[in-house]
């Protein structure tokens, strides 16, 4: 483990050698697309677009998958998976987990982050396939939907699986490794071409084939993970482990909670994809902000009981929160002060214990209400204004913003 003062290269920097010859393409009109010809990230049958093809991809209680195109508001049926117990997304794929495994849906739209600019792609949407396992799995993704790995941990068997994300982008489900650990809570977290396994009280680093790489790092009760531009975060009882890559080797650093802080630990992290700062609830005590660049935690007081938070991490330090009463708050991410609030939107869903998700991109936030059978687009920079309200044909029990 490196001392806290040492700063490691961000995961995105690992791409710089491969991307050195990459220049931003000449932009076609928004209504046209060109074949995807970049040597990096090339996927047969995909087209490069002038702007992101954003959508809301949802799964209902019966496993039926729908995709709402946010440009023209048309809806497409993408197929059916088993009834979901939990769903995770990286902005392209939806990983629908139940007691028997994980079903994988490819929304067919994604953004490729080249650090200093972006490329936008569209390919045929499809249900890719399944990964068998015991227990509702936790899923961890990177910020790339065409390279590296995707981690799946099955709690009932203790099996840690790293999927080949490049194979997924081609419609294939392929495992880079499947390692058996102790049953219970755990995570498999991709980091560059490596992976970290958090299980049995420790974080171990592994090569892409599953080979263990040296020393381990303590991590009691692992819960919650997210990948930022700096590295991959793993939540632990006493803080977080940040996994990044130094030169050609993965390194794990412990970011402990501030001394003397009695607030509950973070167990779920959310942010605008790729940004260095992430947010998590500190139980009923407030909101944790973890700055992965500074390796530092900040505890903010909550203005009222909250059920979810996400860090926009923009120039205005916007922090979004969903209250226990179903309102969306726009908070000051430096002080916790309330900047704006919506009317109650999802009080019925929260009262019924249904899954509600608040996600944010650079301009808008999106929220689903299964009991209300609604999805909302929220302009958080304009007083939490409801920009659009959608009434889908199928109940959006789980959803993800895709194409970002």
């Amino acid at each position: 483990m490196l001392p806290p003062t040492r700063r490691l290269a961000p995961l995105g920097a690992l791409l710089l050698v491969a991307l050195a010859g990459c220049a931003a393409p000449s932009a076609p009109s928004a209504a046209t697309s060109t074949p995807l010809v970049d040597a990096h990230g090339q996927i047969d049958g995909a087209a490069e677009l002038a702007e992101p093809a954003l959508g809301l991809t949802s799964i209902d209680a019966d496993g039926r998958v729908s995709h709402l195109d946010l440009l023209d508001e048309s809806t497409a049926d993408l197929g059916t998976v088993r009834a979901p117990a939990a769903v995770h997304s990286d902005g392209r794929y939806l990983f629908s987990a139940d007691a028997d495994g994980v079903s994988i849906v490819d929304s067919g739209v994604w953004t490729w982050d080249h650090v200093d600019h972006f490329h936008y792609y569209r390919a045929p949407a499809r249900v890719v396939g399944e990964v068998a396992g015991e227990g509702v799995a936790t899923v961890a993704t990177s910020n790339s939907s065409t390279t590296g790995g995707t981690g799946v941990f099955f709690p009932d068997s203790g099996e840690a699986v790293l999927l080949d994300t490049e194979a997924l982008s081609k419609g294939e489900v392929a495992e880079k490794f499947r390692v058996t650990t102790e049953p219970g809570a755990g995570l498999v977290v991709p980091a560059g071409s490596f992976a970290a396994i958090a299980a049995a009280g420790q974080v171990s680093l592994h090569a892409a084939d599953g080979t263990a790489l040296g020393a381990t790092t303590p991590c009691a009760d692992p819960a919650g993970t997210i990948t930022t531009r700096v590295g991959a975060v793993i939540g632990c009882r006493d803080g977080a482990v940040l996994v990044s890559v130094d030169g050609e080797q993965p390194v794990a650093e412990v970011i402990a909670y501030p001394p003397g802080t009695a607030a509950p630990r973070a167990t779920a992290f959310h942010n605008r994809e790729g940004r260095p700062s992430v947010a998590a609830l500190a139980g009923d005590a407030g909101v944790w902000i973890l700055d992965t660049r500074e390796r530092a935690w900040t505890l903010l007081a909550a203005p009222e009981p909250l059920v979810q938070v996400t860090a926009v991490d923009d120039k205005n330090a916007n922090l979004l929160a969903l209250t226990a009463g179903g309102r969306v708050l726009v908070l000051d991410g430096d002080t916790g002060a309330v900047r704006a609030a919506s009317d109650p939107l999802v009080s019925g869903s929260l009262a019924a214990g249904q899954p509600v998700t608040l996600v944010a991109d650079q301009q808008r936030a999106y929220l689903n209400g299964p009991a209300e059978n609604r999805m909302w687009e929220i302009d958080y920079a304009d007083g939490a204004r409801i920009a659009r309200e959608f009434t889908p044909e199928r109940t959006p029990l789980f959803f993800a913003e895709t194409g970002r």
Side-chain angles (χ1 to χ4, degrees), residues 185-247:
L187 294 161
V188 184
V189 179
S193 59
F194 305 96
I197 297 177
Q202 64 183 22
V203 171
S204 55
L205 302 177
H206 297 258
D209 63 358
T211 302
L213 302 174
T216 61
T217 302
C219 178
D221 303 327
T225 183
I226 194 169
T227 296
T228 76
R229 195 177 289 280
V230 178
V233 174
I234 299 172
C236 308
R237 182 194 300 161
D238 299 322
V241 172
L242 179 68
V243 181
S244 49
V245 179
D246 183 16

Side-chain angles (χ1 to χ4, degrees), residues 60 193 204 289 292 385:
D60 71 7
S193 59
S204 55
I289 303 294
T292 57
R385 176 178 61 88

Side-chain angles (χ1 to χ4, degrees), residues 16 81 112 281 331:
L16 291 179
V81 298
W112 181 282
L281 290 177
L331 306 178

Side-chain angles (χ1 to χ4, degrees), residues 158-397:
E159 289 182 302
V161 180
L162 185 68
L163 301 178
D164 186 333
T165 307
E166 182 179 357
L168 282 183
S169 70
K170 299 175 182 178
E172 306 168 5
V173 179
E175 297 181 5
K176 288 176 173 283
F177 67 68
R178 183 177 286 245
V179 175
T180 300
T181 68
E182 291 184 12
L187 294 161
V188 184
V189 179
S193 59
F194 305 96
I197 297 177
Q202 64 183 22
V203 171
S204 55
L205 302 177
H206 297 258
D209 63 358
T211 302
L213 302 174
T216 61
T217 302
C219 178
D221 303 327
T225 183
I226 194 169
T227 296
T228 76
R229 195 177 289 280
V230 178
V233 174
I234 299 172
C236 308
R237 182 194 300 161
D238 299 322
V241 172
L242 179 68
V243 181
S244 49
V245 179
D246 183 16
E248 298 181 353
Q249 293 298 319
V251 178
E253 299 175 80
V254 173
I255 307 175
Y257 288 118
T261 303
R265 58 165 293 190
T267 58
F269 302 94
H270 302 281
N271 74 343
R272 178 162 61 96
E273 184 175 357
R275 297 299 300 160
S277 292
V278 303
L281 290 177
D284 296 329
V287 178
W288 285 115
I289 303 294
L290 174 60
D291 185 332
T292 57
R293 281 192 176 135
E294 297 300 323
R295 276 64 167 176
W297 295 93
T298 301
L299 181 64
L300 302 176
E304 60 183 280
L306 305 176
V307 296
Q308 190 178 141
V309 289
T310 186
V312 179
D313 197 18
D314 55 3
K315 64 180 181 180
N316 296 318
N318 281 312
L319 171 67
L320 304 185
L322 180 64
T323 73
R327 298 190 302 157
V328 174
L329 304 182
V330 182
L331 306 178
D332 184 320
D334 294 326
T335 67
V338 177
R339 290 174 167 165
S342 74
D343 292 331
L345 299 173
V346 292
S347 54
S349 294
L350 293 174
Q354 293 183 316
V356 174
T357 301
L358 176 66
V359 298
D361 63 26
Q362 190 171 5
Q363 297 178 322
R364 295 287 191 269
Y366 296 93
L367 177 71
N368 69 315
E372 295 79 9
N373 194 36
R374 296 286 191 277
M375 294 188 289
W376 293 270
E377 180 181 80
I378 302 163
D379 187 345
Y380 54 82
D382 186 18
R385 176 178 61 88
I386 304 302
R388 287 187 287 181
E389 181 174 312
F390 306 104
T391 305
E393 295 179 3
R394 298 170 178 172
T395 300
L397 184 65

Side-chain angles (χ1 to χ4, degrees), residues 56-68 75-81 105 127 354 367-375 390-399:
L56 303 181
T57 307
S58 60
I59 305 178
D60 71 7
D62 295 322
R64 297 179 298 178
V65 187
S66 303
H67 180 80
L68 170 65
T75 299
D77 181 355
L78 303 191
T80 303
V81 298
V105 177
V127 175
Q354 293 183 316
L367 177 71
N368 69 315
E372 295 79 9
N373 194 36
R374 296 286 191 277
M375 294 188 289
F390 306 104
T391 305
E393 295 179 3
R394 298 170 178 172
T395 300
L397 184 65
F398 295 96
F399 93 105

